[in-house]
Amino acid sequence: MLGKPSYGIVMVNRRRLGRKTGLVNYLAQEWMAILTLAVLLFKSIVLMGFVYSPDKSVIDITRGFNNIRYMSVCVAFLIIIVSFNYLAKGKGRLWLLLILNFLCSFLYVFDAVYLRANGNFLSTQLLRQTGNVNNLWGSIFAMFRPCDIVFFIDIPILVAILIITRKMYYSSPLFTSMKTRLIAFGSLFAMSVAFIIGSYIVIDVYGNNKYAYIFHTYWKPEATICNASPLGYHLYDCYVFFADFRPYEISEKERTEIQKWIDDKKENLPDNSYKGMYQGKNLLVLQVESLENFVIGQSVNGQEITPILNKLLKNSIYFDNYYTQVNEGTSSDAELMTNTSVFPVRKGSTFFRFPYTEYNSLPKIMGKYGYSTKAIHPDDGAYWNWKEALTNMGFQQCIDSKSFKMDEIIFLGLSDGSYFRQIKDTIIQQKQPFYNFMITLTSHSPFEMPKEHQYLNLDSYLENTRLGGYFQSINYTDRYIGTFLDELDKAGILDNTVVAIYGDHDSVHKYFDDQIREIKPSQSWWLENDKKIPLILYEKGQTPQVIHTTGGQIDLMSTLLYSFGIEKSEYESTSFGRNLLNTQQDYVLLADGEFRGNIDKAKQKELLDGLEYADMAIKTNFFKK
């Protein structure tokens, strides 16, 4: 007959079981940390795959891996995040790792979305612009793609594992006390930070490659994130954001360099027949939401997409190689460049960050020559902070949504049809000569027009696509531009008015290029746009012309002032753009530092400095008298 096990045997077995359980618990929790680190590294590679893939909706692991320039630095940043799990105890460490994983995944997926929308990544500067989000959720959700699920696919699996094993593990005996956990956290954190600082000193401070930095803001956002890694980019961005609150100062050397860059751009050509061709006339500038160049003159199913704009071309100067140059401020950047001929700042929205910077602006110059000036928006003055910025820019009056009866709302705000109908009498009764700057709203992404305003009969393969919705949206706005101009013509206003029409930025190709390429059958004319927007200078009875010179929004102010007979001395020394009606240069510098047109490599390097100089000029109020 077997007796009961002795007390000593029981205690030995318990100690063995305790050691075994402790080891299991230790391995479980540390493997969760290692797994989280591996998963976040994989997600970093996926995000970089989006960045460097020609199609921002295709995961390219190879490109992603090859374009994290300093993989060890990337891992060090991720270890910093993972190290925070030691601040929790027992099972709480596992849940904290899950939460950290989720937060990083959330950041990465919105990086991917913002990248598709704006060619950039989320920035702390966007915190200053949160008021814009309220009516943009439709556009934001339209940027998600099915492949984005990869950033979250592991989360429910890990949640399920933690729930199933909730009674299996307790805590590792190595990290039960606060002291040991703080030592573990501090050690990992300090070693990672020390490695990053060491890498910074070796590469940034003492390195001899001017294109190899860990912490540096490049004009191409992908170059910045390539060096710092996705998480490093955001931590560096936070540093830049808070450093931004310090007063900006500019040395005399920098001031001289900025002015020299502007002055060296002058071509000093003799005047031609375009000089003063519109002198004394009214100027009406119409910035059309999301108007891309590829739709001009095109038809679907036998119907013109922009019949009114096509008709205007018969009496217009049409620039068919005109490009959008907006940065993170999107439409507000277009307003800035059109009215100041200064590039927007490199980070965030100029209108939010520096609304009180002074410029030698289009409204100021026109006002100096006796023009009454108005900026007219159908949206709230706080949207992109446009009213504050344009008022400071020199417009004598700014009219926003408070002056309109909001009787028909389509997506972002007041419909273009109602907007034009309500504002026409204000323009007809306005003191002349006038300069009015107007924008439209309805043709904004995600291009979901109400059925009653869909005037095109589209083929089934275009119905319910973003491209088909874009055609309907632009066709709607085009129709009401025509109605508006007809009313002005009946009142005699167009007899003495020049109407400048351009798009604020590319849109359907910018946001939904991957979906456009999936439409079958396709037509070649809608597959490419390459950031082109139309620029149309319409005058009643004018002989039509097409100008193929390559230019962009930064050039419009100088072009208009020249055609209105304003002496070059009034604007050439403050303009970052050039006059497209009298130039021998054929190029445009885009917001990401790329060029279009014909410009040699040596000249490109010199022109790229203009982006940095404009940034400095805005931050330091360079043009303040």
Side-chain angles (χ1 to χ4, degrees):
M1 182 176 179
L2 296 175
K4 293 182 180 180
S6 69
Y7 175 78
I9 294 175
V10 170
M11 295 305 296
V12 168
N13 288 338
R14 285 182 178 177
R15 282 196 294 271
R16 288 175 177 171
L17 180 61
R19 285 195 297 269
K20 183 177 180 181
T21 303
L23 180 61
V24 170
N25 289 336
Y26 171 76
L27 291 175
Q29 293 183 73
E30 301 320 307
W31 274 108
M32 182 68 168
I34 295 170
L35 177 62
T36 301
L37 180 64
V39 165
L40 290 179
L41 180 59
F42 173 75
K43 292 177 182 179
S44 300
I45 293 171
V46 169
L47 178 60
M48 294 301 294
F50 283 139
V51 172
Y52 282 92
S53 173
D55 185 341
K56 305 303 181 189
S57 301
V58 172
I59 299 173
D60 193 325
I61 297 296
T62 302
R63 288 177 188 264
F65 183 84
N66 291 336
N67 284 289
I68 295 182
R69 189 163 190 169
Y70 305 111
M71 186 63 73
S72 57
V73 172
C74 176
V75 172
F77 277 116
L78 295 175
I79 290 175
I80 289 175
I81 296 298
V82 172
S83 69
F84 280 91
N85 87 92
Y86 288 102
L87 297 180
K89 183 179 180 180
K91 184 71 76 171
R93 286 182 55 203
L94 306 183
W95 286 103
L96 182 54
L97 284 166
L98 184 67
I99 291 170
L100 292 169
N101 184 355
F102 176 81
L103 292 176
C104 286
S105 301
F106 186 83
L107 178 65
Y108 284 3
V109 76
F110 273 94
D111 267 333
V113 168
Y114 197 73
L115 173 68
R116 294 182 195 118
N118 297 296
N120 209 328
F121 309 98
L122 289 179
S123 168
T124 320
Q125 294 289 351
L126 295 174
L127 294 174
R128 299 182 179 184
Q129 303 164 205
T130 52
N132 291 341
V133 176
N134 293 335
N135 54 0
L136 283 176
W137 286 113
S139 294
I140 293 171
F141 285 122
M143 292 296 97
F144 284 94
R145 298 292 185 269
C147 57
D148 293 337
I149 194 67
V150 71
F151 291 109
F152 292 105
I153 198 167
D154 61 308
I155 302 294
I157 298 173
L158 292 174
V159 168
I161 292 173
L162 290 180
I163 292 173
I164 292 169
T165 62
R166 66 187 181 276
K167 295 182 179 180
M168 190 175 299
Y169 307 122
Y170 296 94
S171 62
S172 168
L174 294 179
F175 301 109
T176 54
S177 70
M178 175 63 77
K179 181 180 178 180
T180 55
R181 285 186 283 114
L182 286 176
I183 291 173
F185 164 73
S187 300
L188 278 178
F189 189 94
M191 285 189 296
S192 299
V193 170
F195 179 82
I196 292 168
I197 292 174
S199 300
Y200 165 77
I201 292 171
V202 171
I203 297 170
D204 292 38
V205 178
Y206 292 107
N208 56 10
N209 185 346
K210 64 181 180 179
Y211 299 108
Y213 296 97
I214 298 174
F215 301 118
H216 183 77
T217 302
Y218 292 88
W219 302 134
K220 288 188 176 183
E222 59 264 32
T224 305
I225 202 170
C226 168
N227 288 340
S229 80
L231 196 59
Y233 166 86
H234 285 292
L235 293 174
Y236 175 58
D237 176 68
C238 289
Y239 162 78
V240 172
F241 174 76
F242 288 108
D244 198 40
F245 289 102
R246 297 196 303 261
Y248 287 94
E249 296 179 358
I250 187 171
S251 67
E252 283 304 314
K253 179 176 180 293
E254 291 169 328
R255 182 175 292 278
T256 301
E257 288 175 352
I258 293 172
Q259 193 60 60
K260 183 178 185 300
W261 187 94
I262 295 173
D263 292 339
D264 287 350
K265 179 182 52 60
K266 298 176 184 178
E267 295 184 67
N268 299 315
L269 301 173
D271 289 332
N272 58 29
S273 59
Y274 295 109
K275 172 70 179 291
M277 63 186 296
Y278 300 138
Q279 189 164 356
K281 295 183 179 295
N282 302 312
L283 173 60
L284 178 63
V285 174
L286 187 57
Q287 178 175 297
V288 180
E289 176 63 49
S290 301
L291 177 61
E292 297 189 19
N293 193 63
F294 80 106
V295 294
I296 302 298
Q298 295 293 348
S299 299
V300 287
N301 216 8
Q303 307 151 97
E304 290 181 280
I305 301 170
T306 58
I308 299 302
L309 295 182
N310 298 344
K311 181 180 178 182
L312 294 181
L313 290 181
K314 297 176 181 178
N315 298 109
S316 297
I317 300 176
Y318 170 42
F319 297 81
D320 64 348
N321 283 312
Y322 191 70
Y323 288 78
T324 177
Q325 296 170 288
V326 301
N327 199 32
E328 292 184 27
T330 58
S331 299
S332 67
D333 283 350
E335 298 177 58
L336 172 80
M337 287 184 283
T338 294
N339 285 289
T340 68
S341 191
V342 178
F343 291 110
V345 292
R346 297 296 87 202
K347 295 289 283 183
S349 161
T350 306
F351 277 16
F352 270 104
R353 294 182 63 194
F354 305 101
Y356 301 113
T357 294
E358 296 184 20
Y359 307 92
N360 184 32
S361 66
L362 184 55
K364 281 183 181 178
I365 295 172
M366 298 298 272
K368 183 178 177 180
Y369 281 79
Y371 279 70
S372 64
T373 61
K374 282 187 174 73
I376 308 169
H377 281 225
D379 51 14
D380 188 271
Y383 188 62
W384 287 103
N385 204 32
W386 72 263
K387 191 171 185 179
E388 198 78 25
L390 292 186
T391 298
N392 183 69
M393 199 178 286
F395 280 99
Q396 297 161 9
Q397 184 181 4
C398 288
I399 300 173
D400 72 351
S401 58
K402 296 180 180 63
S403 298
F404 293 92
K405 181 180 179 181
M406 308 302 285
D407 54 0
E408 185 182 42
I409 304 298
I410 299 179
F411 189 48
L412 278 184
L414 186 65
S415 70
D416 290 345
S418 179
Y419 167 57
F420 285 130
R421 174 176 51 78
Q422 293 186 57
I423 201 61
K424 64 179 176 59
D425 289 336
T426 299
I427 295 174
I428 290 170
Q429 296 163 14
Q430 186 173 347
K431 176 189 172 183
Q432 299 187 38
F434 62 72
Y435 163 42
N436 288 344
F437 177 74
M438 303 175 63
I439 74 160
T440 69
L441 284 182
T442 304
S443 49
H444 195 285
S445 166
F447 317 122
E448 296 173 352
M449 289 298 297
K451 285 290 185 181
E452 63 270 23
H453 291 308
Q454 295 182 16
Y455 303 116
L456 294 173
N457 179 25
L458 299 179
D459 289 317
S460 57
Y461 61 86
L462 281 174
E463 286 279 5
N464 302 316
T465 67
R466 296 295 181 186
L467 183 62
Y470 178 74
F471 291 156
Q472 296 284 13
S473 300
I474 289 297
N475 177 259
Y476 166 87
T477 296
D478 176 86
R479 170 184 293 246
Y480 284 102
I481 288 174
T483 302
F484 172 61
L485 293 181
D486 283 344
E487 292 293 328
L488 296 186
D489 194 23
K490 290 176 185 175
I493 299 298
L494 290 190
D495 293 338
N496 193 42
T497 298
V498 175
V499 182
I501 301 174
Y502 67 92
D504 58 352
H505 51 73
D506 56 336
S507 191
V508 69
H509 285 91
K510 179 180 181 180
Y511 302 143
F512 305 112
D513 191 61
D514 57 319
Q515 296 182 19
I516 292 174
R517 296 183 183 282
E518 291 174 358
I519 298 173
K520 302 297 179 186
S522 67
Q523 297 190 35
S524 60
W525 62 267
W526 72 43
L527 292 177
E528 300 293 340
N529 186 65
D530 192 30
K531 300 185 184 299
K532 281 189 180 182
I533 54 176
L535 171 60
I536 298 168
L537 303 183
Y538 168 80
E539 183 192 19
K540 192 175 178 181
Q542 183 174 225
T543 302
Q545 300 176 66
V546 178
I547 292 182
H548 303 300
T549 302
T550 305
Q553 291 160 319
I554 202 77
D555 305 315
L556 183 52
M557 186 177 102
S558 297
T559 303
L560 289 173
L561 289 172
Y562 185 79
S563 66
F564 274 76
I566 308 299
E567 292 302 321
K568 289 184 283 186
S569 58
E570 292 278 4
Y571 56 88
E572 269 197 332
S573 294
T574 60
S575 171
F576 279 75
R578 69 192 198 282
N579 168 21
L580 298 180
L581 291 172
N582 190 14
T583 180
Q584 293 179 345
Q585 302 291 328
D586 184 51
Y587 73 89
V588 65
L589 171 58
L590 304 181
D592 59 3
E594 292 188 359
F595 286 86
R596 299 291 186 272
N598 301 294
I599 188 79
D600 61 71
K601 292 291 184 181
K603 186 70 173 174
Q604 285 184 18
K605 183 179 182 300
E606 175 187 331
L607 291 170
L608 271 171
D609 291 338
L611 295 176
E612 181 177 357
Y613 289 149
D615 195 76
M616 293 168 60
I618 291 172
K619 291 176 179 178
T620 60
N621 214 351
F622 179 83
F623 299 112
K624 183 177 181 179
K625 296 294 184 181

